[in-house]
Amino acid sequence: MLSDIDFADRYRQHLDASGRKPKPVSAWDARAADLGAKPLGGSYANAFVSRLDLTDCHTLLDVGCGPGTIGLLLCDRMEHVYGLDHSPAMLEQLMHRAGKLGADNVTAIRRAWEEPWDDVPRCDIVVASRAGLVDDLDDALAKLNAHASRRVYMTQLAGGHFLDPEIDALLERPGIGLPDHIYALNLLHARGIYATLDYIETPSRLAGAESAEAFVQRATRILGELSSEEASRLAAWYARDPGRGRRGGAPMRWAMLGWESPGS
């Protein structure tokens, strides 16, 4: 029986088995300036926003907001936008960009998933964009539901890999992959919530290299230092099919879940 399966525990077991090591706040702080320098919008962010039902929504809580990738796209359509993140540098970028937009209806909240949210405001709509790879998914969903008066939207990795699994296998780093959106769907189902499901595809993070050498350099920036053997394997993989190599392999796929708040 499906109801006999403890998906919260299965998620934790899967996450532990994946060997994932959470990035420290300092790692996100180090990326904040570069992410904040990017223009608002883009294929992923625009696709995310286009799927939101904003009917009768006036306030928004953007969880894991980063430099305002989603929330700032909506600040001119909301009475107030709250950006929540555990990285102070990301929140500095959020407010800097809000100032450049002339948006005086944005508030930054420094908070982690694991901390109490007692003083976090309840909003009409809550979004968690690419911020759902957490230690305790069941608790995270409870927090999202508790702080949404109308709707919740979140995206999670579909398939469990940030890169094409073929490249992971090529580097002999296949692992078992990360837990993906299926756990969230089942945890919501256990609460009597039937979420909608859609997918957003984005190019591989390795996309754009115009030569095998550039591809290896790009992979090194993303994956860290490669051995000479690993570099040779990647260069050979690229050379076998330069078109696929320029695409960086298969695109990333994000699952977008949406549901009505239980309290709506």
Side-chain angles (χ1 to χ4, degrees):
M1 297 286 289
L2 194 64
S3 58
D4 294 333
I5 301 174
D6 185 343
F7 284 102
D9 186 56
R10 290 287 182 89
Y11 171 88
R12 287 190 290 269
Q13 291 179 29
H14 190 155
L15 187 64
D16 288 343
S18 74
R20 171 192 176 260
K21 296 179 180 179
K23 289 182 181 180
V25 173
S26 58
W28 293 110
D29 284 347
R31 294 186 62 192
D34 287 342
L35 293 177
K38 293 183 177 181
L40 280 175
S43 59
Y44 169 85
N46 291 337
F48 186 101
V49 169
S50 72
R51 288 162 167 78
L52 302 179
D53 179 1
L54 302 177
T55 305
D56 296 325
C57 291
H58 307 287
T59 55
L60 179 140
L61 174 63
D62 184 1
V63 178
C65 64
T69 305
I70 300 299
L72 292 182
L73 287 177
L74 295 165
C75 62
D76 62 344
R77 299 162 69 179
M78 294 285 139
E79 292 178 5
H80 209 95
V81 169
Y82 298 89
L84 182 151
D85 205 288
H86 70 330
S87 163
M90 289 289 188
L91 294 175
E92 287 176 9
Q93 289 295 323
L94 167 71
M95 298 310 298
H96 174 69
R97 297 171 95 192
K100 290 177 67 175
L101 291 172
D104 60 1
N105 61 336
V106 178
T107 298
I109 302 172
R110 185 180 178 188
R111 199 64 45 87
W113 279 107
E114 300 80 15
E115 295 174 326
W117 285 21
D118 297 342
D119 59 340
V120 175
R122 193 165 185 254
C123 293
D124 294 323
I125 187 168
V126 175
V127 300
S129 167
R130 299 186 290 195
L133 190 59
V134 296
D135 290 338
D136 189 337
L137 181 58
D138 196 44
D139 180 66
L141 293 173
K143 282 184 165 76
L144 297 178
N145 283 329
H147 287 81
S149 59
R150 293 192 179 276
R151 298 177 198 98
V152 183
Y153 294 92
M154 74 181 304
T155 47
Q156 289 190 304
L157 193 63
H161 293 271
F162 285 104
L163 295 177
D164 189 327
E166 184 178 332
I167 294 176
D168 283 336
L170 191 72
L171 298 175
E172 297 181 353
R173 305 177 182 181
I176 64 167
L178 294 162
D180 71 359
H181 65 293
I182 298 301
Y183 290 95
L185 282 173
N186 282 292
L187 287 169
L188 290 168
H189 182 271
R191 289 177 164 86
I193 296 172
Y194 297 89
T196 61
L197 176 62
D198 201 351
Y199 294 96
I200 300 173
E201 283 195 355
T202 59
S204 166
R205 293 190 293 172
L206 297 174
E210 293 298 329
S211 68
E213 181 182 5
F215 181 72
V216 172
Q217 291 173 349
R218 187 180 293 267
T220 301
R221 287 196 300 272
I222 293 171
L223 301 174
E225 196 63 35
L226 301 172
S227 69
S228 58
E229 183 178 352
E230 289 173 329
S232 295
R233 289 176 187 169
L234 285 179
W237 180 87
Y238 184 102
R240 284 195 294 272
D241 187 347
R244 182 175 173 80
R246 283 191 290 274
R247 295 192 298 274
M252 288 184 66
R253 179 176 287 180
W254 295 95
M256 184 163 181
L257 286 66
W259 64 94
E260 297 291 322
S261 168
S264 61

